[in-house]
Amino acid sequence: MKILVCVTSVPDTTTKIAFTDNNTKLNKAGVTFITGPYDDYALARAVELKEKTGATITVLNVGEADSEPVIRKCLAIGADDAIRINAEPTDAYFVAEQIAAIAKENSYDLILMGRESIDYNGGQVHGIVGEMLGIPSISPVMLLDLDGDTAKITREIEGGKESLEAKLPLVLGCQEPIAEWKIPNMRGIMTARTKPLKVVEPTGTDKLTTVASYELPAPRGAVKMIPADSAETLIQLLHTEAKVI
Amino acid sequence: MSVLIFAELDEGKIKKSSQEAIFYGTKVAEMTGTSATAVIIGPADDAELASAGRFGATKVLHAADAKLTEPNGMAYATVVAAAAQQEGSKVIVLAKSSLADAMTARLAGKLKAGLAANVIELPNLSNGFQVKSSIYTGKAFAYNDLKADVKILAIKKNTITPEEEDATASVEAFAPILNDADFVISVKNTEKSSGDILLPEADLVVSAGRGLKGPENWGIVEDLAKALHAATACSKPVSDLDWRPHSEHVGQTGIKISPNLYIACGISGAIQHLAGVNSSKVIVVINKDADAPFFKSADYGIVGDVFDILPRLTKAVQAL
Ligand SMILES: Cc1cc2nc3c(=O)[nH]c(=O)nc-3n(C[C@H](O)[C@H](O)[C@H](O)COP(=O)(O)OP(=O)(O)OC[C@H]3O[C@@H](n4cnc5c(N)ncnc54)[C@H](O)[C@@H]3O)c2cc1C
């Protein structure tokens, strides 16, 4: 069985976001880049499936050279080889096109990725890839088990969850609690250095969307503290001042 | 040529976030000199369908094929793509939701559409087609230039307040050819907490964290939520510990919400939690620790014990 895990390289979740060049670029100074937290779930489940079924895992990133540390970490966690498509991943359709092109060459049984990236929060790439390949896509996936070529899946829906079955090949957008995040061990880190990481140039170049500029939200006004012994006034203030109840 | 709005149903009723999407789509239609058509999928009565007119749609295409009774993003994308083709729509508007996400992605793939998710303002058409969206989980905004021939806008909830008018939309049956391939995923079981207010749709949310000490104490949270007609939510450790279902977990790795009021009880306000709730209009924080980081992001705060404060707030709401 062949699994493709697609990962993003994103600013660490605690990063204070700032922009440079007249608000046209992310200020990368001092920012630690990590694997997208949802992608970490996808990779962790792939590693568990590899342990059970002997599957091979290829990790794929659409990104520039500075995402290689993130790719190496995925190799250290258990992916067998890696592909980096050398392009800036700003447009969901463009990223999906790159993934679909690789998938067409290599017929994977499972294509796993996070349910969304935590930078642009589009949550669209898995579905577009599924459409391009003509195979089903399911997201957000909370549980995944395989029974031969049938996947048993639990998906989150608004206010609940849904159990599904579908035949491989599939594209899945993953989230917790599909697996526990894995931390690379020393042996993994050592072997990751020698695992193949292939860099390929992108195909299909038109981006359907581009970001003209960025902006930060206006700061919230100062907090109005209400003494605990008159907590009830909060309800009056929400009613008459904030007018939300 | 019209602006097409995908309006989603919940138990036969147009969802509130879809009413917002219809109104948004109608505004875009006015800006571009066209009309607004809504496509609605699944069982609903004619009066409900025609009510799309209250928010500005002039026409509703109703796809009621029995195969479409279960929400299915892939089949819904086939329907919406066919509707866009019939109407010659170059702009498609919908409210961001779990079902809409699955549908939108397949649709963008079918139509080679430029897509903006989490849109929070009407487009600027002065120089091309630009929309503002929320990115980095609410920590920043992007101004996106949509260059493709077909544009899809997935609107964040609470972006626009619909003005209602006394009008009805004409309703037309819509029966596009469905693809067998869109029905290969079989749904075995659905678990839904019924009767509750859906968290992503809620205007008011009462949320609690590890400060509640255990699931047996959630009664005081639910009582306040019930008095306010609010939905309940929780922090990540609370759902990780199985005190509450995962569908209530808000934050960076959970659901992102933007209600009018978010009341956080016994939640520290870690940056990952804030990321999912920071676009709430008004934030109230109740925490016994005066140094809890959440107070820095709150509009109103009470330093106090939730076990004392919450029941008193519930009484005060009931007395309103
Ligand atoms: C990659 C990543 C992603 C994450 N994603 C999320 C996410 O999506 N959502 C999320 O919530 N977290 C997320 N987290 C976890 C986050 O960092 C915090 O650990 C979490 O939000 C803390 O939850 P809490 O405030 O309920 O618990 P705690 O941090 O334990 O805080 C409990 C609070 O309750 C207060 N308290 C205790 N008793 C009382 C009382 N009787 N009355 C009043 N106040 C009381 C305490 O003073 C304290 O401030 C993520 C973490 C990581 C690393």
Side-chain angles (χ1 to χ4, degrees), chain A residues 12-14 34-38 40-41 118 176 181, chain B residues 137 207-213 218 234-240 243 249-256 262 264-277 285-295 302-309:
Chain A
D12 169 30
T13 29
T14 58
I34 58 166
T35 319
Y38 295 115
D40 266 328
Y41 287 111
I118 62 161
E176 64 184 14
W181 288 350
Chain B
T137 331
S207 184
R210 206 146 50 177
L212 265 285
K213 309 280 191 293
W218 241 260
C234 68
S235 67
K236 176 173 154 70
V238 163
S239 81
D240 286 351
W243 294 357
H249 155 202
V250 291
Q252 174 97 56
T253 48
I255 296 170
K256 285 97 193 155
Y262 183 73
C265 313
I267 301 178
S268 57
I271 192 164
Q272 298 92 346
H273 182 85
L274 277 174
V277 302
V285 169
I286 303 161
N287 197 306
K288 70 176 182 189
D289 174 9
D291 295 326
F294 219 150
F295 285 118
I302 300 176
V303 178
D305 189 325
V306 287
F307 295 98
D308 162 43
I309 306 283

